[in-house]
Amino acid sequence: MSNPRTLIVGAGISGLALAKSLLDRGLPVEVAERRADDGQALGAGLYLPANAVRALRSIGVGDEVAKRAEPVTRQRLQDHRGRPLADFEVGSIWGEVGPCLAITRSDLHEVLRGAVDNDVVRYGTTVTSVDDGTVTFADGATGKYDLVVGADGVNSAVRRSLFGGPAPRFLGQLCWRFIADDTGTPGITDWTARLGSKGRTFLTVQLGGGRVYCYADINSPVATPPAGDWRTLFADFGGPVSRLLEQGEDAHFAALQESENTVWTRPGAALVGDAAHTFSPSMAQGGAMALEDAVVLAGTLADAPDVTAALTSFQARRAGRVAWVVAQNHRRDKARNLPTPLRNFTLRRAGERLFKANHAPLHAQP
């Protein structure tokens, strides 16, 4: 089928990246986004590993992203007091794949929005049903599409209505994210993870311009925030953490989840990004896998003889790669929860080697 008509549900990172990729190939596409176009900033910050940056370059927005982003050249692991566990160059992990960057989520979203024509995205538009390619919108309008793509996040309505299966499961971790002013705060460079007892982590990623992205998480048996001020859970962390926490009162809270579904296509429909595969942020691969999804799906739609063949190819190309990330996340989360002396010993002896092994298969093109 030439020029299949595609509707993307969701104008987040994966949805806009897919729209840009399809438009670049001359394929017709529309995007329906339920939120109004109110211009509000989305989320906090993002660490973009090299395979994510490579995907952004492949859809033609790499230079603009790089202008707004901060290079990340080293990764550091410390204990909760700031004592070193591992310290290595990012280039030793990613080699010739390319650089790693840090950027605010709102800046990345703005770049992707600017790369897609305004008339392609319909804001304030909710999809109410999909039936054999006919899509009904909340205002009563309908449209006929060859492909409907759910890019509508972890609580995807497209996944629930077309794919069924279990909802994403709670991973036993709670997290908080915020952007802080790091002016005059020593000890903040590149990417630094501070590991406490009982699975507690406080990560900082330099964003440039006097800003730092802060991410904190803890283990929890329940998916609800603990009583009281969450910041007291990190009161024993040293270095710059206490100063940064003073700015975290309005941090974004989330209970971390993981998808159990591993099939992301069916006749006339597909899932990408968090709608397809939500998982632990341990490897910072959520955004990278979403961007790769967009590149691969657009490529298969352009190259395959019909939509069915394109979706078969997409599923086959993505399944093993995503499964690797999930498995590595599990290994890293398990290691993080080792008894503190054993965890620290392991990272001091083999931290860089473990990071290389985690990421090695991701060097290949998706």
Side-chain angles (χ1 to χ4, degrees):
M1 180 185 297
S2 62
N3 295 332
R5 189 180 180 202
T6 299
L7 175 70
I8 301 170
V9 182
I13 291 172
S14 59
L16 291 174
L18 176 58
K20 174 67 163 59
S21 298
L22 292 173
L23 291 169
D24 286 349
R25 291 168 170 83
L27 300 178
V29 61
E30 299 172 32
V31 182
E33 170 55 57
R34 61 180 177 81
R35 293 173 301 190
D37 185 12
D38 55 14
Q40 292 184 357
L42 300 172
L46 284 172
Y47 169 61
L48 298 173
N51 61 320
V53 178
R54 177 175 60 191
L56 289 165
R57 289 199 306 267
S58 76
I59 64 173
V61 298
D63 289 345
E64 184 60 30
V65 169
K67 290 177 185 177
R68 299 173 181 236
E70 182 76 3
V72 177
T73 60
R74 299 194 72 83
Q75 289 187 284
R76 296 176 174 86
L77 297 167
Q78 302 175 351
D79 69 11
H80 72 294
R81 291 296 188 188
R83 292 170 293 205
L85 301 176
D87 186 336
F88 45 84
E89 291 185 359
V90 169
S92 73
I93 306 303
W94 287 104
E96 296 182 357
V97 178
C100 298
L101 301 174
I103 192 171
T104 66
R105 185 177 289 270
S106 59
D107 273 345
L108 178 57
H109 192 256
E110 187 174 318
V111 170
L112 292 170
R113 279 188 56 174
V116 176
D117 292 339
N118 290 335
D119 58 355
V120 170
V121 185
R122 296 156 54 190
Y123 289 94
T125 302
T126 301
V127 172
T128 57
S129 68
V130 182
D131 184 13
D132 194 25
T134 298
V135 176
T136 302
F137 300 95
D139 62 2
T142 61
K144 187 73 174 177
Y145 300 91
D146 300 301
L147 175 63
V148 177
V149 180
D152 48 344
V154 60
N155 297 311
S156 171
V158 174
R159 186 185 65 240
R160 288 197 306 271
S161 62
L162 292 182
F163 288 78
R169 67 180 183 87
F170 174 50
L171 273 174
Q173 294 172 278
L174 308 178
C175 78
W176 293 264
R177 301 177 173 96
F178 63 98
I179 295 175
D181 180 353
D182 70 350
T183 304
T185 303
I188 300 176
T189 56
D190 289 295
W191 180 107
T192 304
R194 301 161 184 85
L195 307 179
S197 60
K198 301 178 181 177
R200 293 176 301 155
T201 301
F202 194 95
L203 170 72
T204 56
V205 185
Q206 190 82 37
L207 291 170
R211 303 165 303 166
V212 60
Y213 168 48
C214 302
Y215 167 91
D217 67 19
I218 62 168
N219 294 339
S220 174
V222 295
T224 53
D229 189 335
W230 69 271
R231 294 174 293 180
T232 62
L233 299 168
F234 298 87
D236 59 332
F237 276 56
V241 174
S242 60
R243 179 184 170 97
L244 295 171
L245 284 172
E246 292 173 0
Q247 303 177 59
E249 182 176 0
D250 297 322
H252 299 272
F253 167 79
L256 298 179
Q257 301 178 71
E258 181 177 89
S259 299
E260 296 186 352
N261 293 346
T262 56
V263 176
W264 312 307
T265 63
R266 52 161 291 168
L271 301 172
V272 295
D274 284 350
H277 40 65
T278 299
F279 34 63
S280 164
S282 178
M283 286 181 63
Q285 281 292 318
M289 290 296 105
L291 290 165
E292 288 188 359
D293 285 348
V295 172
V296 173
L297 181 55
T300 61
L301 286 169
D303 297 339
D306 54 44
V307 170
T308 299
L311 295 182
T312 299
S313 177
F314 171 74
Q315 174 73 35
R317 287 176 60 180
R318 298 305 292 150
R321 197 168 176 97
V322 171
W324 170 266
V325 172
V326 171
Q328 297 309 300
N329 280 332
H330 289 172
R331 291 183 63 183
R332 287 161 66 109
D333 286 337
K334 183 178 180 180
R336 187 182 69 161
N337 286 288
L338 290 171
T340 301
L342 178 57
R343 179 201 65 199
N344 292 352
F345 175 79
T346 301
L347 291 174
R348 287 192 179 106
R349 290 291 300 272
E352 182 175 356
R353 186 166 71 248
L354 292 172
F355 270 61
K356 286 182 178 179
N358 291 152
H359 295 88
L362 302 180
H363 288 206
Q365 291 283 353

